[in-house]
Amino acid sequence: MLYLYGFYKLNIMSGIKDLDILLSAIEPVLDQRDFVFCTFPDFDWGKINQLNPIGFFCEKEGATLIITQKDADDKKIAYQSVYRLISLNVHSSLDAVGLTAAFSAKLAEKNISANVVAAYYHDHIFVPAEKAEQALNAILELQDQKQSLTDYATKPD
């Protein structure tokens, strides 16, 4: 579908809803940057925009931003924990059922917390920086398990 928004034509593609396809094509990628979640009780878009946030959400207590640790340190912004970002390169539908539950359960097995952001095209998982490689391997394991089951199910007798 083609929608006109302002001066831009946006080609809106629907994502994948089938959980088996999503899990077999999950393709996780670990971003090399460190990220932090920080909060600002007073919303000032002019100041917040200068921080170049990768994520932004307004809550009743204030604005939550996800920015690089470097930006937070350079601007002396307080934060509690440091995270790494794993993006799932499969184009998942916002209406897909079970993807978040599947990778969350896999990460929980490894005692890894997950802060998930679902965007239009992909899901993004913020995991503790010190467990990032372990989290990436867990998601790859989930993908391999699904691919093995799919391969087994489609093999001729």
Side-chain angles (χ1 to χ4, degrees):
M1 288 185 224
L2 208 53
Y3 292 94
L4 188 61
Y5 179 78
F7 296 103
Y8 301 99
K9 289 184 178 179
L10 303 175
N11 189 8
I12 306 297
M13 302 179 331
S14 60
I16 300 166
K17 291 183 183 180
D18 184 285
L19 183 59
D20 289 334
I21 294 171
L22 287 169
L23 292 175
S24 65
I26 206 164
E27 294 184 38
V29 175
L30 179 61
D31 193 302
Q32 295 305 308
R33 298 171 291 174
D34 291 325
F35 292 95
V36 298
F37 286 68
C38 49
T39 185
F40 299 87
D42 298 317
F43 179 81
D44 180 342
W45 183 246
K47 290 180 183 176
I48 288 172
N49 194 36
Q50 293 174 12
L51 296 173
N52 196 27
I54 190 172
F56 174 84
F57 198 87
C58 284
E59 301 179 277
K60 64 182 176 187
E61 298 85 357
T64 297
L65 272 70
I66 306 168
I67 61 175
T68 64
Q69 181 185 21
K70 181 184 181 327
D71 283 347
D73 290 343
D74 289 349
K75 293 179 174 45
K76 299 184 183 355
I77 298 170
Y79 57 88
Q80 293 182 343
S81 301
V82 179
Y83 300 91
R84 295 280 299 282
L85 168 61
I86 298 174
S87 293
L88 307 181
N89 274 343
V90 66
H91 180 187
S92 57
S93 169
L94 289 169
D95 296 324
V97 176
L99 179 60
T100 303
F103 66 71
S104 293
K106 190 66 171 176
L107 293 173
E109 283 177 18
K110 312 284 186 187
N111 198 33
I112 301 172
S113 66
N115 294 286
V116 181
V117 175
Y120 188 84
Y121 292 100
H122 307 285
D123 289 278
H124 307 277
I125 312 160
F126 291 88
V127 297
E130 68 276 6
K131 293 186 176 184
E133 293 291 337
Q134 184 184 3
L136 178 64
N137 289 332
I139 295 169
L140 286 168
E141 185 180 304
L142 179 65
Q143 179 179 356
D144 290 345
Q145 287 170 344
K146 180 48 72 177
Q147 286 175 342
S148 295
L149 288 173
T150 303
D151 291 346
Y152 178 77
T154 57
K155 280 188 181 177
D157 288 334

